[in-house]
Amino acid sequence: MQSCNVCDGDIFTVDGVRSCSISGDGRSKPGGRFAPPEALPERLKFHLFNRDFGRSILRYTTGTVHSSNIWAFSGNLALANVGRRVFISSDDGRSWEFVLRLPDTSPPKGVLPSAVTESEGNLYLCTYPLKTDPARIYVSDDGGSNWKVLLERTDFRHFHGVYSDEYSDMLLANTGDRDSESAIGTVDGDGFTAIGRGSQTWRAVGIAMTPRYLIWGKDATYAQRKEIFRLHRDQIDDPNPTPTVIDETESILFYLKTETFGGETWVIGSTSPETGIDSTAPPDKQRNTCDNKARIIASPASSQFEDWYEIYSVERRRALGEYIDRIPTADAHIFIDADPELGVIANPCNTTSNDGDVLRIPPDVFDTSVLDSGPEIKVGERIELLDL
C-alpha cells in the first residue's frame, strides 16, 4: 500500500495499479484499477513502478519507491495519481478516469501528498517538476473532470503543497528548493504572494494549520539542524515575519496533520530519512545529515506546540543501492492522515517493518498523561494493524 487518506470515516489507499478502501467499522470496499499509458516506454515504466513484479525488483535494488497518492472528498469523489497520470473517481474509488498528465520532469511519485486540496467547491493541484518545466497550480471547478492552469511560475523549482486554511479564507502554498526559491505564501486571483521567503527556513514539505499558528519543518537534508518552526497568524501580513523555532528533528518533517482528540488540538507529523545528496545543496554542503529512522511525532496545543512526543518509529529499509554507487536508493516515509474518531492512520513505506501496512493509532493514545508515563506504544498492542 502507498499513501493514505481518510474521508467520512473511510480509509483510502493505493496498492499498485488499484485503489483500496476500508470503512470505519472494518468493512473492505472494492477498488478500481488505474489504466496504464498507451505509449510503450511510459507503459513499461508504469508497470515497473506499480505492478507486483516490478515493485519486487525495485524493493531489493533501490528500496520501495513512492509512486502514487490518493485524496478522497465528500460526495463519493476521489482523486489519485499514479506516477505522472492523474485520475478522478466519482464512485468512491470503484472506477477511475484519466484526466491530467503531470510534467515530464516529475519524479516517480508525480507529486507530494500535500499537492491537492479542496476549497469553496474547487479542487487545486500543484506540480512538482524537477528540471525545466514551470511550476503550476491547476484548478478544477467541476469535480476534477477538467483542469486549467490557475498560475504558472518559473522563478522557483516547484510547489511542495497547496492548502485550504479552515481557520481563514486563505489558500496557502509553499515552494522550493534553493534559498531564493523557498517560500510560504498565499494564492489568489493575482497569483502567488509570499508570506516569507529567501532561506531554508521557508523551505517546508507540509504545513500544519491551527487556530493561532502555521507550523512546518525545514526541508534541507544537508542542514545540521532541521528545525520545526511556528509562525503566529498575527505575523502573516508583516513585511518581515520571524518564525519561532520550537524543536528540531533528526530527518525531514514531511507530512503534517492537525486534529482534535479529547478536546485537545494536536499537530501530528511524520519524518522521512531521505537518501543521497540534495542537487540544490550549496557547494560547501554536499552532505546528508538525516538519520535512518522514520518517525511519527505529535505535539499538543496546551504546550504551544513546543513539547513533541515520539509515537512510533521504524528504520529505513536498506537495499542493494546502499552498496553500489550507480544504483539510487529510495527514501522512507510514513504517510499519515487523522480523524477525530479513528485517530491517526499511518502507512509506512520502504521500512524494515510494517512496510506497506496501514496502521491505526487510536485517539486515546494522544493524552499527555499517557504519553508522559504510559507504556511503550507498540504495533499489535496500542497500535492496530488494519487488514485492507
Side-chain angles (χ1 to χ4, degrees):
M1 305 293 177
Q2 285 191 13
S3 187
C4 62
N5 191 252
V6 180
C7 182
D8 297 334
D10 290 348
I11 302 164
F12 295 81
T13 187
V14 178
D15 183 13
V17 294
R18 67 185 182 93
S19 63
C20 308
S21 65
I22 187 170
S23 61
D25 60 7
R27 292 181 295 108
S28 294
K29 295 184 179 181
R33 289 185 174 270
F34 303 105
E38 293 184 2
L40 184 59
E42 287 189 63
R43 192 181 187 93
L44 291 174
K45 180 179 281 191
F46 181 91
H47 290 315
L48 173 65
F49 283 108
N50 301 291
R51 288 285 187 182
D52 288 346
F53 178 71
R55 289 193 297 168
S56 66
I57 294 174
L58 290 175
R59 177 179 171 82
Y60 290 102
T61 53
T62 66
T64 305
V65 178
H66 173 202
S67 61
S68 54
N69 300 282
I70 192 166
W71 304 269
F73 306 95
S74 296
N76 302 322
L77 178 66
L79 187 72
N81 81 284
V82 181
R84 297 170 187 161
R85 293 170 64 79
V86 179
F87 300 85
I88 196 74
S89 172
S90 59
D91 56 9
D92 262 347
R94 289 189 292 275
S95 63
W96 294 94
E97 177 188 0
F98 170 66
V99 291
L100 182 68
R101 191 179 189 278
L102 297 171
D104 289 340
T105 62
S106 304
K109 61 191 169 191
V111 295
L112 292 167
S114 48
V116 169
T117 195
E118 181 182 33
S119 178
E120 297 181 347
N122 294 326
L123 294 177
Y124 296 88
L125 180 151
C126 63
T127 64
Y128 191 73
L130 298 181
K131 293 182 181 177
T132 56
D133 292 294
R136 297 187 178 99
I137 294 180
Y138 288 90
V139 62
S140 172
D141 61 6
D142 62 359
S145 295
N146 295 282
W147 296 84
K148 63 181 180 181
V149 176
L150 176 68
L151 67 90
E152 179 176 293
R153 296 285 290 265
T154 58
D155 54 332
F156 44 78
R157 193 181 189 198
H158 47 225
F159 285 99
H160 287 180
V162 60
Y163 316 87
S164 176
D165 181 13
E166 64 178 293
Y167 305 105
S168 73
D169 59 357
M170 292 188 301
L171 188 66
L172 298 169
N174 56 313
T175 67
D177 286 320
R178 297 171 181 85
D179 284 359
S180 62
E181 299 170 324
S182 297
I184 294 173
T186 59
V187 176
D188 57 26
D190 297 322
F192 175 77
T193 304
I195 295 169
R197 69 180 307 164
S199 75
Q200 296 297 290
T201 294
W202 299 99
R203 181 183 177 183
V205 179
I207 303 171
M209 285 146 282
T210 77
R212 296 182 66 187
Y213 303 111
L214 305 182
I215 295 172
W216 68 91
K218 180 189 286 185
D219 175 25
T221 58
Y222 55 82
Q224 295 291 4
R225 296 185 63 207
K226 300 169 185 62
E227 300 96 330
I228 304 175
F229 297 102
R230 180 186 69 198
L231 182 71
H232 200 289
R233 288 179 177 273
D234 289 347
Q235 293 193 63
I236 286 177
D237 294 325
D238 288 358
N240 295 295
T242 304
T244 300
V245 176
I246 51 178
D247 209 326
E248 58 185 85
T249 56
E250 298 297 326
S251 52
I252 303 303
L253 182 56
F254 250 69
Y255 309 121
L256 286 159
K257 296 292 178 180
T258 304
E259 192 53 84
T260 300
F261 301 121
E264 173 85 273
T265 298
W266 288 77
V267 168
I268 305 100
S270 69
T271 67
S272 297
E274 294 191 273
T275 63
I277 304 299
D278 185 342
S279 64
T280 67
D284 62 339
K285 295 179 181 178
Q286 296 290 304
R287 63 194 181 211
N288 187 322
T289 60
C290 292
D291 73 354
N292 200 49
K293 279 191 173 183
R295 297 175 173 87
I296 295 176
I297 59 176
S299 182
S302 56
S303 73
Q304 302 298 309
F305 304 106
E306 294 179 2
D307 295 338
W308 289 82
Y309 297 88
E310 182 175 307
I311 307 297
Y312 169 83
S313 69
V314 62
E315 290 194 356
R316 181 176 63 85
R317 189 178 186 278
R318 296 188 182 275
L320 187 61
E322 302 283 341
Y323 313 102
I324 301 177
D325 288 343
R326 294 186 179 183
I327 298 178
T329 52
D331 306 333
H333 297 282
I334 306 176
F335 309 112
I336 58 171
D337 205 353
D339 178 88
E341 301 297 326
L342 293 175
V344 171
I345 304 300
N347 173 214
C349 176
N350 196 37
T351 52
T352 55
S353 60
N354 300 123
D355 184 14
D357 290 339
V358 178
L359 309 176
R360 185 177 79 91
I361 307 172
D364 60 11
V365 168
F366 297 90
D367 182 322
T368 55
S369 63
V370 172
L371 293 171
D372 283 331
S373 59
E376 183 180 354
I377 302 167
K378 296 181 179 180
V379 176
E381 295 179 8
R382 301 185 67 202
I383 298 178
E384 180 184 358
L385 175 61
L386 298 181
D387 182 17
L388 275 172

